[in-house]
């Protein structure tokens, strides 16, 4: 049977990241740790904290971040190759759009490049849910669950960007 050989060290520091006002159920929490900041993304907010000490450096609603109402399903990563933050999400309006943003520098409080498109598949329009993003030093891949014409998940769909 597997056993723990050593105990984990205690955290060097901790801070309260966010008290969720519970305006959106579920909150769909996600976050990423970069060089100097910790970024938390929920269905309601994107919050930037100082990695050292936890001071709030910025806070914006998830919808205002993408300048689009009814945003949900944030997913965030820090890219160690480009030293940039990536975040994705979807709009939950009648036109389901996929949104992607990448910070222009390693500072998430700075400028971002934002992109969006309406996902389609060979069989037509689809409802994309719970997107995830991964990358290497050449490609960005967004995956999501495809819901065509009903409430049941059918397949995973991938979008690959150079």
């Amino acid at each position: 049977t597997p056993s723990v050989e050593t105990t984990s060290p205690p955290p060097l520091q901790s801070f309260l990241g966010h008290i969720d006002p519970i305006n959106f159920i579920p909150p769909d929490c996600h976050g990423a740790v970069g060089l100097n900041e910790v970024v938390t993304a929920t269905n309601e907010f994107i919050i930037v904290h100082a990695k050292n000490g936890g001071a709030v450096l910025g806070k914006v609603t998830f919808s205002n971040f993408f300048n689009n109402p009814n945003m949900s399903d944030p997913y965030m990563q820090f890219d160690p190759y480009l030293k940039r933050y990536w975040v994705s999400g979807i709009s939950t309006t009648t036109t389901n759009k996929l949104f992607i943003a990448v910070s222009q520098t390693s500072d998430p409080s700075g400028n971002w490049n934002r992109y969006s498109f309406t996902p389609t598949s060979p069989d037509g329009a689809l409802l994309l849910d719970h997107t995830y993003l991964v990358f290497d030093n050449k490609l960005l891949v967004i995956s999501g669950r495809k819901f065509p014409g009903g409430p049941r998940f059918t397949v995973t769909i991938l979008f690959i960007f150079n």
Side-chain angles (χ1 to χ4, degrees):
T1 59
S3 64
V4 176
E5 294 182 20
T6 61
T7 58
S8 296
L12 297 176
Q13 65 172 322
S14 65
F15 56 86
L16 179 62
H18 175 58
I19 297 176
D20 187 7
I22 312 175
N23 293 327
F24 294 92
I25 303 290
D28 288 336
C29 305
H30 212 270
V33 178
L35 302 177
N36 299 303
E37 295 85 12
V38 176
V39 183
T40 303
T42 69
N43 278 339
E44 191 164 9
F45 293 107
I46 292 182
I47 305 167
V48 179
H49 288 92
K51 191 175 183 180
N52 195 359
V56 175
L57 304 175
K59 182 177 181 179
V60 64
T61 67
F62 193 41
S63 289
N64 284 346
F65 178 80
F66 279 111
N67 194 28
N68 191 79
N70 303 312
M71 293 296 298
S72 70
D73 296 347
Y75 192 81
M76 179 168 278
Q77 293 281 335
F78 181 75
D79 183 339
Y81 304 105
L82 296 175
K83 309 245 185 302
R84 306 281 191 269
Y85 288 88
W86 290 91
V87 63
S88 65
I90 60 168
S91 65
T92 56
T93 57
T94 43
T95 304
N96 178 236
K97 279 186 154 181
L98 174 61
F99 289 80
I100 304 165
V102 59
S103 62
Q104 292 180 3
T105 68
S106 63
D107 179 3
S109 298
N111 293 325
W112 289 71
N113 296 323
R114 292 170 177 84
Y115 309 92
S116 67
F117 66 95
T118 302
T120 59
S121 68
D123 55 345
L126 60 93
L127 172 63
L128 188 65
D129 194 22
H130 289 283
T131 59
Y132 299 97
L133 61 88
V134 295
F135 45 79
D136 62 13
N137 59 351
K138 295 181 183 178
L139 299 173
L140 170 69
V141 178
I142 305 285
S143 71
R145 296 187 292 180
K146 179 181 170 187
F147 289 85
R152 292 201 44 177
F153 159 68
T154 57
V155 297
T156 298
I157 191 164
L158 300 175
F159 301 95
I160 301 171
F161 302 90
N162 187 349

